[in-house]
């Protein structure tokens, strides 16, 4: 009997060891990123009115990070940091101007070829890799078919999605994101031109001022041409910039939002099925819930929060389908699943009819485009059955840059030695081997400008956050920059602070009460330590090409992709034709 018991124990020991080895050897990765989702939009973070049962199930089965920080409060730089594990300023993916993202498919800027993504490293290890959904990190450099910034040039075997982003301009009837800019920069000049033309014509007519008719006609012609170009821009934007690609081929131009989330989900399910027997990395990058909002008929009008809520609930359905297919292929134990958002909710998003199209950032101040907590504190969920304990909450500061070293190390790949990696491997924290975050400092950039610094001392529970400048909310007293649609990073649009504004967000997560030397005895000592960290961080930066310079973000006709003759308004729908043939 004793011998039988011993044999059974040895069998259990080796079976457990082998099972663990099976899970940890070349695990699969499903990295899910929402767009502009607020941390307060999910049930697992306290929402009581939106139905996010599948995302909540993911949280219950794994770890919930309560202080998960996006490396930037804007799409393009945040995604660059996520893929590379580095602050976007290191790769030139942080703008010096107010425009901090790519707006045109025919821009020449993008994630530099020399940057190393986790997809590139895993592909070299033999993983199948796919990006399904939004890219927003550039397309071409010098010609319309060099695809230097394309996902396939950054380690992905398969791509199905948008190279730029979903904008109001992409969906007829949803208005334009450029209206605020036109109103701010062009409305007054256009009015002045109009008034000047009328005044000159009147003065000429009454004989008070003689102006050659040719000059008046020339002036009027130039004004008409400029106004016509503006109209052409608004009309053609959707055709030229809102298209769906499969690998390097456009399959739908302009993009159709009909059942789009369902199409992305089906592509993800098919990719998992094709690779059920081989290691794979899937980056599922939803277009939801960035405007233009959309929802299929099965979800439209079903939530308590209008079209925004419908879109969130449809995305939750999609997450459920991904979890179901892992169950179907018995891949749960060998697959790490991660869910996040690229930044906080866009609180200024309100439709022309007054419906709120932005999300909810909970108790946190501000939103997208700001480094207040509402702009950078995002959902962070990670599940890996048998390897990560279920139902755990981690309150330590973590970053979306941490995914790079975590994924790379789990795949058995050494981290690059020729560059600074700002992220840290999350597994020691996830498995309880360490109790403190390895991020003593986190640096918060507004475009390329260092905006704030977070300090979590090793000998304290406090988390200090110092702001060197803050955006001017408009209207005053509101929670965002509603008149300009987003907040900006310099000039008259911000207020600089000397000494910096200081908060202890462990006690004041809503950033309502800045500290003073009277309320915090170590006020100047804390700021001195933060400034020393800034000095050390600044020394680690190198001059790189600015990928978001005006020269790189402006539209270039010779880079424009079109699936038909440009004179036919760049129209094709191979996507629908394929489905009809099937």
């Amino acid at each position: 009997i004793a011998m039988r018991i011993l044999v059974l124990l040895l069998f259990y020991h080796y079976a457990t060891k082998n099972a663990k080895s099976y899970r940890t050897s070349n695990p699969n990765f499903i990295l899910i990123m929402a767009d502009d989702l607020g941390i307060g939009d999910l049930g697992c973070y306290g929402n009581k009115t939106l139905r996010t049962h599948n995302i909540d199930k993911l949280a219950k089965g794994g770890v919930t990070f309560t202080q998960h920080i996006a490396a930037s409060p804007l799409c393009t730089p945040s995604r660059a940091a996520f893929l590379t594990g580095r602050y976007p300023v290191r790769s030139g993916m942080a703008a010096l101007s107010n425009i901090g993202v790519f707006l045109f498919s025919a821009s020449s800027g993008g994630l530099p070829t020399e940057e190393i993504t986790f997809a590139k490293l895993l592909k070299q290890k033999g993983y199948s890799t796919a990006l399904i959904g939004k890219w927003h990190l550039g397309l071409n450099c010098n010609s319309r078919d060099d695809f230097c910034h394309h996902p396939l040039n950054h380690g992905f075997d398969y791509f199905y999605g948008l190279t730029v982003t979903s904008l109001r301009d992409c969906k007829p009837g949803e208005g334009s994101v450029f209206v605020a800019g036109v109103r701010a920069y062009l409305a007054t000049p256009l009015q002045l031109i109009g008034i000047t033309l009328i005044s000159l014509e009147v003065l000429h007519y009454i004989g008070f001022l003689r102006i050659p008719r040719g000059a008046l006609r020339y002036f009027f012609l130039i004004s008409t041409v400029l106004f016509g170009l503006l109209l052409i821009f608004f009309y053609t934007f959707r055709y030229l910039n809102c298209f769906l690609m499969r690998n390097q081929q456009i399959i739908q131009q302009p993009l159709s939002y009909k059942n789009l989330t369902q199409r992305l989900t089906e592509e993800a399910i098919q990719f998992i099925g094709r690779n059920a027997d081989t290691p794979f990395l899937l980056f599922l990058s939803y277009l939801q819930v960035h405007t233009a909002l959309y929802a299929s008929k099965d979800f439209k009008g079903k939530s308590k929060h209008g079209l925004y809520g419908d879109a969130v609930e449809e995305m939750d359905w999609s997450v459920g389908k991904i979890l179901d297919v892992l169950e179907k292929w018995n891949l749960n134990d060998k697959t790490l699943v991660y869910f996040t958002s690229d930044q906080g909710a866009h609180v200024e998003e309100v439709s022309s009819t007054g419906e709120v199209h932005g999300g909810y950032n909970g108790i946190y101040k501000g939103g997208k485009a700001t480094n207040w907590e509402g702009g950078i504190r995002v959902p962070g969920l990670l599940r890996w059955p048998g390897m990560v304990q279920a139902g755990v909450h981690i309150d330590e500061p973590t970053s979306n840059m941490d995914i790079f070293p975590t994924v790379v190390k789990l795949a058995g790949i050494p981290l690059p030695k020729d560059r600074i990696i700002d992220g840290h491997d999350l597994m020691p924290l996830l498995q309880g081997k360490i109790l403190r975050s390895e991020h003593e400092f986190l640096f918060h950039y507004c475009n390329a400008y260092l905006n704030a610094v977070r300090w979590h001392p090793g000998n304290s529970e406090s988390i200090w956050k110092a702001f060197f400048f803050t955006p001017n909310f408009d209207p005053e007293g509101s929670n965002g920059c509603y008149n300009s649609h987003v907040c900006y990073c310099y000039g008259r649009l911000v207020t600089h602070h000397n000494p910096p504004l200081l908060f202890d967000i462990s006690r004041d997560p809503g950033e309502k009460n800045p500290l003073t030397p009277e309320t915090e005895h170590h006020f100047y000592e804390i700021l001195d330590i933060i400034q020393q960290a800034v000095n050390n961080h600044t020394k680690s930066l190198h001059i790189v090409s600015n990928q978001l310079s005006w020269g790189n973000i402006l539209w270039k006709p010779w880079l424009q992709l079109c699936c038909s003759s440009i004179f036919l308004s760049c129209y094709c729908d191979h996507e629908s034709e394929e489905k009809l043939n099937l």
Side-chain angles (χ1 to χ4, degrees), residues 347-348 366-367 370 472-475 477-483 487:
V347 297
E348 296 94 346
T370 80
N472 298 330
F473 284 171
D474 187 14
S478 68
N479 191 41
C481 304
Y482 288 86
N483 289 335
C487 295

Side-chain angles (χ1 to χ4, degrees), residues 53-226:
H53 307 308
N54 294 298
I55 297 173
D56 299 344
K57 178 183 175 183
L58 182 64
K60 288 176 184 176
V63 169
T64 299
F65 296 109
T66 62
Q67 197 177 163
H68 198 49
I69 307 300
S72 171
L74 281 176
C75 306
T76 293
S78 176
R79 289 161 184 271
F82 171 70
L83 283 161
T84 64
R86 290 153 49 85
Y87 288 109
V89 70
R90 296 193 190 279
S91 58
M93 297 295 283
L96 292 168
S97 69
N98 277 330
I99 309 301
V101 300
F102 295 113
L103 296 171
F104 307 107
S105 64
S107 298
S108 58
L111 188 64
T113 306
E114 59 269 21
E115 285 299 313
I116 299 174
T117 67
F118 50 68
K120 189 177 289 185
L121 292 176
L122 265 65
K123 181 178 179 179
Q124 292 171 358
K125 183 73 184 294
Y127 273 72
S128 295
T129 58
L131 167 58
I132 295 172
K134 171 176 169 174
W135 173 238
H136 211 182
L137 294 173
L139 184 56
N140 293 312
C141 290
N142 301 306
S143 66
R144 67 184 64 185
D145 58 359
D146 64 31
F147 297 112
C148 67
H149 301 308
H150 191 280
L152 298 192
N153 204 37
H154 281 290
F156 291 102
D157 296 319
Y158 182 73
F159 171 61
Y160 176 90
L162 274 70
T163 58
V164 191
T165 187
S166 173
L167 293 172
R168 287 189 177 275
D169 303 72
C170 295
K171 190 178 178 187
E174 291 295 315
S176 173
V177 297
F178 300 100
V179 168
V182 169
R183 189 185 301 121
Y185 298 106
L186 295 179
T188 300
L190 286 172
Q191 289 172 1
L192 288 174
I193 289 171
I195 292 169
T196 301
L197 278 171
I198 294 170
S199 300
L200 289 173
E201 184 64 37
V202 170
L203 290 173
H204 181 84
Y205 180 78
I206 64 176
F208 186 78
L209 183 66
R210 290 293 175 186
I211 301 171
R213 280 288 177 187
L216 271 177
R217 291 194 188 99
Y218 185 68
F219 192 37
F220 181 77
L221 178 62
I222 292 176
S223 304
T224 303
V225 168
L226 291 175

